[in-house]
Amino acid sequence: MNSFKTNHTTPVLPAIARGIEILNNGGIIAIPTETVYGLAANAFSIKAVAEIFRLKQRPAINPLIVHIASLSELATVAVEVPPLAMKLAEAFWPGPLTLVLKKTPLIPDIVTAGKPTVAVRVPGHRLALELLNRLDYPLAAPSANTSGSISPTNPSHVTGSFGAKAPYILDGGNCERGVESTIIGFTGDEPVVYRYGAIPIEAIEKICGKIKTHTSDDVSPAAPGMLSKHYAPKTRTLLTADPAALVSSLNSSRTGLLLFDRPLGGVSAGPVEILSPTGDLAEAARNLYPALHRLDAMKLDVIIAERVPSVGIGMAINDRLKRASTDESV
Ligand code: TXA
Ligand code: MG
């Protein structure tokens, strides 16, 4: 695809070389990104992509995100790119912004679940970029967890999700952002939010002006990440603006608390996770999935999660908490 990719002057890291070998043989590996770990395979290979769906137990109707090395590769995966999409890509790539665009024939239908559009981004992670720069194909990669469960933000989450079936993991430590990319699609030239994520909508609106949110139903969601039940712990989880009141009313001895910035004065309960003692939403986002993973492993009766301020990345945190929780949430 790109001959320039072979002109590397720096020696390849052994971990990257191992990843390349597996991918070139049609296999899948877990890769770090700035948002969450991805389960990656050659996006041009139907067979390799089918293996992602199988391992993740992902419904075939749920399309994958394609990761490219740079904006200059966009033309290999997408056509008829709206000018505003170009502006957003220039502003936020590499970074946690995914654009849904009209696909090229190079992208097989299995990647897009038969849709004429492809979701694409350039990840903002040194190792992911180093890898992509040495490959002759883009990587299709959903989050590296079993379908519907809590997303992975470090290698142990990936191993925890897949057990003995876990693929080779390119270890990039903890993910810096901690929630998935923001997904923007287009109706004609008009941008629409498909999923709240690590790039705040306010930052996107600085470039696009006021932007609409795609309202989806669970039968035919535009992005199945918008399914109302997703990103979910096994433990019953309740989302509330007033955790103290809910703790008192529940009267359960095995209650875990997922709180934004401070403990609950005077209310006794089980384990407590504070997402950011300084009230920093970026830190809260980084700690969200690790805290959910820890609480979920404790086999509690219930997890009570506190809503965070609904600004910036806080909108993505609340969105994930809402999807993690059940209908009974208050
Ligand atoms: O941050 C991220 O986006 C991470 C990292 C690994 O890049 N990936 C991720 O992938 O969150 P996944 O599969 O967990 O979520 C992908 C979302 C899904 O909600 C899917 O429905 C949506 O992207 N999507 C993919 N292709 C689409 C398309 N053509 N139209 C609408 N939505 C699409
Ligand atoms: Mg996911």
Side-chain angles (χ1 to χ4, degrees), residues 28 34 66 72 104 107 144 165-167 171 173 283 292 318-319:
I28 62 183
E34 78 281 40
V66 170
S72 64
T104 64
I107 299 294
K165 291 183 184 156
D171 189 344
E283 182 184 37
L292 269 176
N318 285 334
D319 172 81

Side-chain angles (χ1 to χ4, degrees), residues 157-178:
H157 294 158
V158 180
T159 317
S161 199
F162 295 110
K165 291 183 184 156
Y168 173 73
I169 303 169
L170 182 58
D171 189 344
N174 293 317
C175 299
E176 198 186 309
R177 301 293 193 119

Side-chain angles (χ1 to χ4, degrees), residues 4-299:
F4 69 86
K5 287 189 165 185
T6 52
N7 296 332
H8 284 278
T9 46
T10 48
V12 62
L13 287 167
I16 299 265
R18 176 92 182 98
I20 292 172
E21 194 190 342
I22 297 168
L23 292 166
N24 282 347
N25 284 320
I28 62 183
I29 67 168
I31 60 164
T33 80
E34 78 281 40
T35 59
V36 300
Y37 274 72
L39 200 58
N42 179 351
F44 294 156
S45 163
I46 296 173
K47 240 178 112 186
V49 171
E51 184 56 20
I52 295 178
F53 279 89
R54 202 190 55 77
L55 184 60
K56 213 180 135 70
Q57 294 172 289
R58 186 176 176 101
I61 56 151
N62 194 353
L64 309 181
I65 293 176
V66 170
H67 298 71
I68 55 176
S70 67
L71 181 55
S72 64
E73 285 187 7
L74 184 60
T76 59
V77 304
V79 287
E80 297 172 27
V81 179
L84 213 43
M86 213 49 153
K87 258 175 117 172
L88 290 173
E90 278 162 5
F92 296 110
W93 285 355
L97 174 73
T98 295
L99 297 172
V100 176
L101 303 167
K102 190 167 174 200
K103 81 174 193 74
T104 64
L106 274 174
I107 299 294
D109 285 343
I110 186 171
V111 171
T112 66
K115 287 176 191 279
T117 51
V118 63
V120 56
R121 77 181 192 102
V122 178
H125 191 287
R126 188 180 59 83
L127 288 180
L129 287 174
E130 173 80 20
L131 176 68
L132 284 164
N133 268 307
R134 291 175 186 269
L135 297 171
D136 291 330
Y137 43 82
L139 291 173
S143 53
N145 55 302
T146 49
S147 193
S149 64
I150 309 167
S151 298
T153 55
N154 64 44
S156 72
H157 294 158
V158 180
T159 317
S161 199
F162 295 110
K165 291 183 184 156
Y168 173 73
I169 303 169
L170 182 58
D171 189 344
N174 293 317
C175 299
E176 198 186 309
R177 301 293 193 119
V179 294
E180 294 85 349
S181 60
T182 303
I183 305 182
I184 304 289
F186 293 86
T187 309
D189 283 349
E190 195 193 348
V192 182
V193 184
Y194 280 13
R195 177 176 74 182
Y196 293 116
I199 301 270
I201 294 307
E202 296 90 328
I204 290 169
E205 288 186 332
K206 275 202 184 128
I207 293 172
C208 296
K210 199 82 192 142
I211 178 169
K212 281 191 204 144
T213 302
H214 192 278
T215 44
S216 76
D217 54 60
D218 279 0
V219 183
S220 179
M226 296 187 93
L227 287 173
S228 60
K229 183 91 179 160
H230 211 86
Y231 313 101
K234 294 188 190 78
T235 315
R236 178 180 170 221
T237 300
L238 301 174
L239 177 61
T240 177
D242 188 354
L246 194 54
V247 169
S248 332
S249 75
L250 273 178
N251 195 24
S252 156
S253 56
R254 296 196 40 79
T255 301
L257 288 174
L258 184 67
L259 303 172
F260 175 43
D261 59 353
R262 74 196 76 173
L264 297 183
V267 186
S268 70
V272 180
E273 295 279 354
I274 310 282
L275 292 179
S276 171
T278 57
D280 172 5
L281 286 167
E283 182 184 37
R286 248 189 325 272
N287 288 329
L288 175 67
Y289 290 138
L292 269 176
H293 276 281
R294 282 192 294 271
L295 290 173
D296 201 25
M298 299 177 102
K299 310 250 184 291

